[in-house]
C-alpha cells in the first residue's frame, strides 16, 4: 500500500478494468430473477441478464439495482457472490439509500461488472448470478416488505422490480415510485461542477522543490528517512522537479537506487489533511523501465489519499489508493495496477481490513485517475472507465491528505550496483468537495481552469 506496506493487498477481492460499452440508447437488456432463499438470515437475489437487442452489449458500465426495506435506519449490510457463470471476481455489489423512501424500499443493492465479465451477443445471457446479502450483525432480516423480493419466484422469469441502467439511462425495470435511476437527487448520479462549492486545483506550476509557493499552498515535499520502502532508504526533495511538457507544467517524482537501501532515494509530495467526500483526480504518467541501467526493481507509483493510523486498528484511519507496480512485487510477477480502499489495519501482528481491485497489464504512459466518494460507495476510474467500486466498511470517516509518492518495495531491489532511476510524472491535481463528478466533467473543469489561466485555486476549508 502507498503508506504502510502492502502485504494486505492480497486480502482484497479481485476485479478488472471496465471497458467502454455501446451507447445506452442502442442497448436493450432484460433482467430475470428468482429467489435463492426465503430464509431469515440472508436474502438471495439470483439474477440473469439477457441481451434482447440486435447489438452486442458490454457488461462493464451496466448496473442492476435490487430494492429493499432496511430493518432499521441504522442497519448495515454485506454483499457476497456465491457463484456466477461470469465469475464472482467480475461482479461488484454496493449498497445505496433512496432519496425518496417508500413503504417497501429505502435501500438498494447495486450490482456492477468489471471488464472480465465480457459482453453479451444478441440473444445471449449472463448465466446464473447467485448473489446474496445479510445484515452485518447476522441478525434475522425480514424480506416480506422488500420491493424487489418475490417469494414465489423459484425459477428464473422476467422481473420488472429490478432495474438495469447504464449511467443515467434506464434500460429495464421500474424502480419504487419517484426513484427511477437518473432521477434528480439520486445519490448515485453525478452532478456538474458547482462553482459555489469548495475545490482545489493545482497545475503544479513551480520552479523547483524548494519553491516557497509549494508550502504556502499546503504541500509538503517529503524528506529524510521513514517508510514506506526499503529500510534505510531516504526521501530526496531534490529529485522532485518541475518542467514544461506539451504546454503544461509537469512534476516529476524520480526514484533512484544503486542497488542498496542506503543508496535508494525515493520521492513524495503530499497535501495537508482536509479532504473528505467528493471527487479526487490527477493525470499521472507511469513508467515501466528506468531511464538507464538494469530494470526489475519493484517500484510503486501512486496517487492516494490517507488519514494516518494513530493506533493499531484505529477506527478513524482511512486510505484510498491507486498503486501501479511496473515490475510486480508483493508476490506478483509483472505489471499490475491496484485500487485499494482501507478501513483500518494492525501493523504487528499484521491484520488488515481492506478491499481492492486489480488489473494485470502495463499502464506505461499518461492516465487520467479519478476516485469519487459519497455516502454509499467509492468508485475508481482510469481513463474515463470504471475500474472498481468499493462500499462499506471502507468509506472514509475523517479528513484525508492527498498524496503522490514513488518508492521501492522492501526486498525489491535488483541485485546490481549499476545506478538507475525511474520517473513518475504528474500533470495536475484536482478535488471537488461534496461533488460526485464524471471523468468527463473533471476533464472539462480542468480544461476550463487552463483556458481561464488558473494555475492554482484552493478554497477547501
Amino acid at each position: 500500500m502507498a503508506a504502510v506496506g502492502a502485504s494486505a493487498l492480497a486480502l482484497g477481492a479481485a476485479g478488472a478494468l471496465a471497458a467502454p460499452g455501446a451507447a445506452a440508447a442502442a442497448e436493450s437488456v432484460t433482467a430475470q430473477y428468482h429467489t435463492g432463499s426465503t430464509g431469515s438470515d440472508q436474502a438471495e437475489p439470483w439474477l440473469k441478464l439477457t441481451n434482447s437487442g440486435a447489438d452486442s452489449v458490454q457488461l462493464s458500465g451496466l448496473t442492476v439495482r435490487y430494492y429493499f426495506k432496511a430493518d432499521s435506519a441504522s442497519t448495515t449490510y454485506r454483499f457476497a457472490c456465491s457463484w456466477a457463470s461470469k465469475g464472482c471476481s467480475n461482479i461488484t455489489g454496493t449498497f445505496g439509500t433512496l432519496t425518496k423512501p417508500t413503504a417497501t424500499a429505502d435501500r438498494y443493492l447495486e450490482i456492477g461488472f468489471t471488464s472480465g465479465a465480457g459482453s453479451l451477443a444478441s440473444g445471449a445471457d449472463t448465466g446464473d448470478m447467485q448473489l446474496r446479502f445479510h445484515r452485518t450483525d447476522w441478525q434475522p432480516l425480514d424480506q416480506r416488505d422488500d420491493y424487489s423480493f418475490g417469494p414465489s419466484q423459484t425459477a428464473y422469469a422476467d422481473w420488472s422490480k429490478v432495474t438495469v441502467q447504464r449511467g443515467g439511462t434506464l434500460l429495464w425495470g421500474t424502480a419504487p415510485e419517484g426513484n427511477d435511476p437518473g432521477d434528480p437527487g439520486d445519490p448515485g448520479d453525478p452532478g456538474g461542477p458547482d462553482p459555489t462549492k469548495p475545490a482545489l486545483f493545482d497545475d503544479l506550476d513551480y520552479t523547483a522543490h524548494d519553491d516557497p509557493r509549494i508550502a504556502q499552498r499546503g504541500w509538503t515535499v517529503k524528506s529524510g528517512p521513514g517508510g514506506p520502502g526499503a529500510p534505510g532508504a531516504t526521501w530526496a526533495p531534490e529529485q522532485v522537479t518541475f518542467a514544461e511538457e506539451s504546454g503544461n507544467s509537469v512534476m516529476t517524482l524520480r526514484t533512484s537506487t544503486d542497488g542498496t537501501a542506503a543508496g535508494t532515494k525515493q520521492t513524495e509530495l503530499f497535501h495537508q489533511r482536509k479532504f473528505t467526500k467528493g471527487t479526487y483526480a490527477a493525470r499521472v504518467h507511469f513508467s515501466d523501465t528506468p531511464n538507464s541501467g538494469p530494470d526489475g526493481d519493484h517500484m510503486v507509483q501512486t496517487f492516494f489519499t490517507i488519514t494516518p493510523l494513530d493506533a493499531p486498528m484505529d477506527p478513524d484511519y482511512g486510505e484510498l489508493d491507486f498503486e501501479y507496480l511496473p515490475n510486480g512485487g508483493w508476490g506478483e510477477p509483472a505489471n499490475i495496477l491496484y485500487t485499494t480502499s482501507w478501513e483500518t489495519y494492525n501493523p504487528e501482528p499484521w491484520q488488515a481490513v481492506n478491499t481492492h481491485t486489480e488489473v494485470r497489464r502495463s499502464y506505461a504512459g499518461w492516465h487520467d485517475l479519478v476516485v469519487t466518494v459519497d455516502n454509499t460507495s467509492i468508485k475508481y476510474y482510469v481513463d474515463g472507465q470504471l475500474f472498481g467500486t468499493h462500499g462499506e466498511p471502507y468509506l472514509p470517516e475523517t479528513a484525508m491528505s492527498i498524496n503522490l509518492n514513488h518508492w521501492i518495495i522492501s526486498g525489491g531491489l535488483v541485485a546490481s550496483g549499476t545506478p538507475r532511476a525511474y520517473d513518475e510524472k504528474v500533470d495536475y491535481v484536482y478535488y471537488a468537495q461534496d461533488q460526485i463528478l464524471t471523468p468527463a466533467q473533471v476533464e472539462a473543469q480542468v480544461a476550463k481552469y487552463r483556458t481561464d489561466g488558473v494555475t492554482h485555486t484552493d478554497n477547501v476549508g
Side-chain angles (χ1 to χ4, degrees), residues 96 121 184 225 268-269 301:
E268 177 170 352
L269 180 78
Q301 301 168 9

Side-chain angles (χ1 to χ4, degrees), residues 288-448:
D288 279 355
T289 57
N291 300 326
S292 62
D295 193 6
D297 298 298
H298 290 170
M299 313 300 301
V300 184
Q301 301 168 9
T302 77
F303 168 48
F304 68 102
T305 67
I306 190 170
T307 301
L309 185 83
D310 288 337
M313 305 303 286
D314 179 4
D316 290 333
Y317 174 78
E319 185 172 351
L320 312 175
D321 299 333
F322 285 96
E323 295 173 306
Y324 179 53
L325 281 59
N327 294 319
W330 302 331
E332 292 292 331
N335 325 81
I336 188 167
L337 177 64
Y338 289 106
T339 59
T340 309
S341 303
W342 290 81
E343 167 63 11
T344 190
Y345 74 99
N346 184 10
E348 187 61 41
W350 182 255
Q351 180 182 357
V353 183
N354 71 1
T355 189
H356 76 271
T357 302
E358 64 193 23
V359 172
R360 294 174 175 85
R361 71 168 179 84
S362 171
Y363 280 87
W366 284 105
H367 298 283
D368 295 308
L369 309 179
V370 175
V371 57
T372 64
V373 184
D374 61 18
N375 292 325
T376 63
S377 66
I378 305 159
K379 294 186 177 182
Y380 296 88
Y381 298 85
V382 177
D383 298 330
Q385 302 303 317
L386 183 64
F387 186 96
T389 301
H390 303 157
E392 287 288 12
Y394 311 105
L395 296 172
E397 294 108 356
T398 55
M400 301 179 290
S401 61
I402 294 176
N403 302 250
L404 295 134
N405 67 10
H406 189 191
W407 50 284
I408 303 177
I409 296 170
S410 178
L413 291 169
V414 171
S416 171
T418 302
R420 58 269 190 191
Y422 299 77
D423 289 344
E424 175 186 357
K425 298 180 180 181
V426 186
D427 186 15
Y428 70 82
V429 175
Y430 174 61
Y431 168 73
Q433 182 173 310
D434 297 327
Q435 299 184 78
I436 305 303
L437 307 180
T438 66
Q441 289 168 334
V442 169
E443 183 179 359
Q445 183 59 44
V446 170
K448 185 177 188 304

Side-chain angles (χ1 to χ4, degrees), residues 41-335:
D41 61 345
Q42 58 185 332
E44 295 189 46
W46 292 13
L47 300 172
K48 182 186 296 184
L49 301 185
T50 300
N51 179 3
S52 52
D55 299 323
S56 177
V57 171
Q58 188 74 28
L59 287 171
S60 59
L62 287 182
T63 53
V64 184
R65 286 185 180 179
Y66 177 94
Y67 302 89
F68 64 98
K69 182 79 170 179
D71 294 323
S72 73
S74 61
T75 303
T76 57
Y77 297 86
R78 293 285 177 86
F79 164 77
C81 173
S82 298
W83 188 85
S85 298
K86 292 290 185 179
C88 282
S89 63
N90 294 316
I91 295 173
T92 64
T94 56
F95 295 95
T97 301
L98 293 179
T99 55
K100 297 180 180 179
T102 70
T104 58
D106 55 13
R107 307 280 183 94
Y108 59 83
L109 168 64
E110 182 168 282
I111 303 302
F113 302 89
T114 71
S115 65
S119 60
L120 298 179
S122 177
D125 64 60
T126 59
D128 274 350
M129 293 186 288
Q130 298 180 8
L131 313 177
R132 56 188 171 90
F133 65 92
H134 59 85
R135 292 177 49 152
T136 53
D137 58 9
W138 278 105
Q139 292 301 304
L141 57 82
D142 185 359
Q143 298 186 71
R144 292 173 297 175
D145 58 354
D146 291 352
Y147 176 85
S148 295
F149 178 56
S152 63
Q153 293 296 114
T154 56
Y156 279 113
D158 289 356
W159 194 243
S160 63
K161 289 188 174 183
V162 298
T163 58
V164 183
Q165 67 173 345
R166 187 180 298 280
T169 301
L170 182 65
L171 304 178
W172 169 267
T174 303
E177 184 176 359
N179 291 283
D180 283 342
D183 279 350
D186 186 327
D189 292 336
D194 183 346
T196 68
K197 288 190 174 182
L200 173 144
F201 172 70
D202 200 323
D203 217 11
L204 302 173
D205 188 8
Y206 301 109
T207 58
H209 74 278
D210 54 0
D211 187 324
R213 295 175 300 165
I214 295 176
Q216 291 167 5
R217 294 172 175 177
W219 293 104
T220 299
V221 181
K222 191 171 183 178
S223 61
T234 56
W235 299 90
E238 69 277 7
Q239 293 190 174
V240 178
T241 60
F242 302 87
E244 185 174 308
E245 292 187 17
S246 302
N248 295 320
S249 178
V250 170
M251 177 179 70
T252 297
L253 300 174
R254 174 165 293 177
T255 289
S256 62
T257 185
D258 61 3
T260 68
T264 298
K265 296 182 177 182
Q266 306 176 143
T267 45
E268 177 170 352
L269 180 78
F270 62 93
H271 208 282
Q272 67 196 88
R273 282 181 57 199
K274 60 177 184 177
F275 307 99
T276 50
K277 293 180 175 64
T279 300
Y280 301 80
R283 183 164 172 78
V284 178
H285 185 282
F286 296 128
S287 59
D288 279 355
T289 57
N291 300 326
S292 62
D295 193 6
D297 298 298
H298 290 170
M299 313 300 301
V300 184
Q301 301 168 9
T302 77
F303 168 48
F304 68 102
T305 67
I306 190 170
T307 301
L309 185 83
D310 288 337
M313 305 303 286
D314 179 4
D316 290 333
Y317 174 78
E319 185 172 351
L320 312 175
D321 299 333
F322 285 96
E323 295 173 306
Y324 179 53
L325 281 59
N327 294 319
W330 302 331
E332 292 292 331
N335 325 81

